[in-house]
Amino acid sequence: MARACFPPSSTSMTPSTDRNDALMARARQVIPGGVNSPVRAFRAVGGTPRFVQRAQGAYLWDANGQRYIDYIGSWGPMILGHGHPAVLEAVRKAIDEGLSYGAPTEREIELAEEILSLTPSMEMLRLVSSGTEAGMTAIRLARGATGRNKIVKFEGCYHGHADALLVKAGSGLATFGNPTSAGVPPEVVQHTLVLEYNHIEQLREAFALHGPDIAGVIIEPIAGNMNFVRATVEFTRLCRELCTRHGALLIYDEVMTGCRVALGSAQSLYAQAIPGFEPDLTVMGKVIGGGMPLAAFGGKRAVMEQLAPLGPVYQAGTLSGNPVATACGLATLREIRKPGFFDALAAKTRRLMDGLRAAARAASVPFSADCEGGMFGFFLLPELPQNYQQVMQSDSARFNTLFHGLLARGIYIAPALYEAGFVSAAHTDGDIDATIAAAAEVFRLLPATAR
């Protein structure tokens, strides 16, 4: 077993010497909240965000030069680790050829062919620049292809910040969503129905009430934005059966799970348990772009040909299929296709989860964890939750203690208990040992933390 070795703690820094504090104060003057995406602000856990100076392999360094073992990985894309040589070589070559053209390139075709070869449910796809853009357009396409308006989503699943999806559940099953963000008029979300994740009877009743009007069901097959929660096989089978029976489209949001939990994404895992299973539309991002702004949505040819310029559903993007982003994504996908890649990645992730379970058990800390491929999640709960309401029972105060205890020991996990984590091919046995040892130290502090 490799020796655990912690980076030096940054707790010796003072406000006058901590550049993270200084940078945050400066950022707040020119950027709302000091960050360009809310979870980065550390609002859920308290304290000052770490401003990253550089990253390499499984590590990143903050503005003070403090090194951290990184389990965020840019929220999933860095499956190879930071700065993989083959990816950097491809990106440098692409940069030398030009940054953006606003015209087609051969590499767009190559990347599309690569993604389609890994995802048999898709016959055509379109490249865009973000997961939000891909999810938003997939819903527009579902509505355009079916001539219907209503969309079903599930509480705790995040599909980007498009207006129609910023919705929480109403007071009853037949109550449509209320906006969860200011600036979203109620009429924009009036056709969005929010159901409980993994709730079979609710799903049946929703289709019984609204089946002829439902254009599509959008779901994260493994939700990564209420930490890590799987859709059950039974629930997944019913989603497929009801969509087929009522003529709705099943939209799989694999922005997070795509080429991350398996080479064939989460849908390939469910197809093993449900013969013939396929979604109608798939939304992908993160790994397929290798860390660059790139996402995609795709499905069967008859549906995708409803998009302009062939059909009446409009979508466009100035930077869609960007030549540098496609080079980065293509190089990443070629690396993860190599024999044994996912077996090794999954083994590392399981080893981390097994170690954390054992450390928590030794400290008598309620703890549950799950993982698939290079994606994981854990909860300070005795059993794995099945839906958002169960996730909300997790002890946020204890999580905050755990987060800051790990951070002080050089371990960087998501600064919110509702976010999944990621292992990369660059993480070593030593990194995992160091993480488990650090967690064991912090777990011993948790029983004294007030609930």
Side-chain angles (χ1 to χ4, degrees):
M1 188 173 185
R3 182 174 64 89
C5 180
F6 304 137
S9 171
S10 60
T11 54
S12 60
M13 291 287 174
T14 67
S16 61
T17 61
D18 190 335
R19 290 203 68 235
N20 292 306
D21 285 332
L23 288 171
M24 190 59 177
R26 181 178 163 195
R28 286 194 182 107
Q29 301 304 309
V30 292
I31 301 171
V35 294
N36 285 305
S37 191
V39 75
R40 301 176 191 175
F42 279 32
R43 293 290 294 273
V45 295
T48 302
R50 300 307 188 257
F51 282 73
V52 178
Q53 185 178 64
R54 65 187 179 94
Q56 182 62 48
Y59 315 114
L60 53 81
W61 286 260
D62 72 5
N64 297 320
Q66 171 73 39
R67 193 194 79 167
Y68 300 89
I69 300 173
D70 178 20
Y71 289 104
I72 296 179
S74 190
W75 302 98
M78 312 312 297
I79 193 169
L80 301 174
H82 299 281
H84 189 279
V87 176
L88 293 183
E89 181 182 0
V91 168
R92 289 183 183 118
K93 184 175 184 296
I95 288 172
D96 287 342
E97 294 169 347
L99 297 179
S100 182
Y101 314 125
T105 67
E106 183 175 0
R107 197 154 49 237
E108 293 174 69
I109 306 169
E110 292 174 344
L111 181 58
E113 290 170 342
E114 191 81 11
I115 296 169
L116 294 179
S117 73
L118 298 174
T119 321
S121 68
M122 296 194 291
E123 294 175 343
M124 302 184 82
L125 64 77
R126 180 159 285 178
L127 299 175
V128 293
S129 298
S130 73
T132 290
E133 188 182 357
M136 174 185 70
T137 313
I139 286 172
R140 182 185 303 154
L141 180 56
R143 284 173 164 154
T146 63
R148 303 172 179 182
N149 293 329
K150 290 179 172 42
I151 294 291
V152 172
K153 74 175 292 286
F154 299 97
E155 188 175 16
C157 289
Y158 177 72
H159 306 291
H161 58 89
D163 284 0
L165 295 174
L166 290 176
V167 190
K168 62 183 179 181
S171 58
L173 177 62
T175 303
F176 283 89
N178 299 309
T180 54
S181 171
V184 179
E187 57 268 23
V188 172
V189 297
Q190 65 179 319
H191 297 300
T192 305
L193 178 58
V194 184
L195 307 180
E196 186 177 303
Y197 198 72
N198 279 326
H199 196 310
I200 284 176
E201 291 310 313
Q202 220 180 66
L203 182 61
R204 288 188 191 278
E205 189 177 351
F207 270 92
L209 290 171
H210 306 289
D213 301 317
I214 294 174
V217 173
I218 187 167
I219 185 172
E220 286 184 281
I222 300 175
N225 290 281
M226 50 177 161
N227 209 312
F228 183 110
V229 181
R230 297 174 188 262
T232 67
V233 171
E234 186 181 10
F235 185 70
T236 301
R237 182 184 289 112
L238 185 61
C239 285
R240 177 65 279 170
E241 289 176 355
L242 290 173
C243 283
T244 300
R245 186 184 311 159
H246 292 272
L249 299 185
L250 178 59
I251 307 168
Y252 248 35
D253 185 339
E254 299 228 44
V255 167
M256 194 171 289
T257 56
C259 301
R260 165 54 85 168
V261 300
L263 184 60
S265 304
Q267 58 194 265
S268 70
L269 302 176
Y270 286 96
Q272 294 173 20
I274 309 170
F277 173 81
E278 284 185 338
D280 296 299
L281 288 171
T282 299
V283 178
M284 302 182 80
K286 297 188 185 293
V287 168
I288 65 166
M292 297 289 283
L294 186 145
F297 63 97
K300 297 303 182 187
R301 187 174 302 275
V303 174
M304 293 301 293
E305 288 183 342
Q306 296 295 309
L307 283 171
L310 297 179
V313 179
Y314 192 73
Q315 178 273 331
T318 299
L319 297 177
S320 294
N322 175 270
V324 181
T326 51
C328 186
L330 195 56
T332 299
L333 294 184
R334 286 172 175 167
E335 288 297 315
I336 69 174
R337 288 193 80 136
K338 291 181 176 178
F341 178 89
F342 271 93
D343 289 340
L345 182 64
K348 289 182 186 184
T349 311
R350 287 193 299 269
R351 186 168 176 271
L352 175 63
M353 292 299 99
D354 289 345
L356 293 179
R357 285 190 198 95
R361 186 166 54 249
S364 299
V365 172
F367 186 88
S368 56
D370 197 4
C371 63
E372 193 68 60
M375 181 175 167
F376 68 84
F378 60 78
F379 304 87
L380 298 177
L381 294 169
E383 296 181 359
L384 287 168
Q386 296 295 304
N387 56 53
Y388 182 71
Q389 293 303 320
Q390 292 175 9
V391 169
M392 292 292 287
Q393 300 305 308
S394 193
D395 190 329
S396 60
R398 288 191 175 194
F399 175 82
N400 292 354
T401 299
L402 175 63
F403 171 80
H404 283 288
L406 291 176
L407 196 66
R409 290 162 175 79
I411 312 298
Y412 191 45
I413 64 171
L417 64 82
Y418 307 114
E419 302 287 347
F422 305 96
V423 173
S424 76
H427 284 88
T428 66
D429 286 347
D431 296 329
I432 292 171
D433 291 341
T435 303
I436 294 167
E441 290 183 1
V442 183
F443 282 147
R444 289 193 287 269
L445 306 174
L446 294 185
T449 304
R451 186 173 176 83

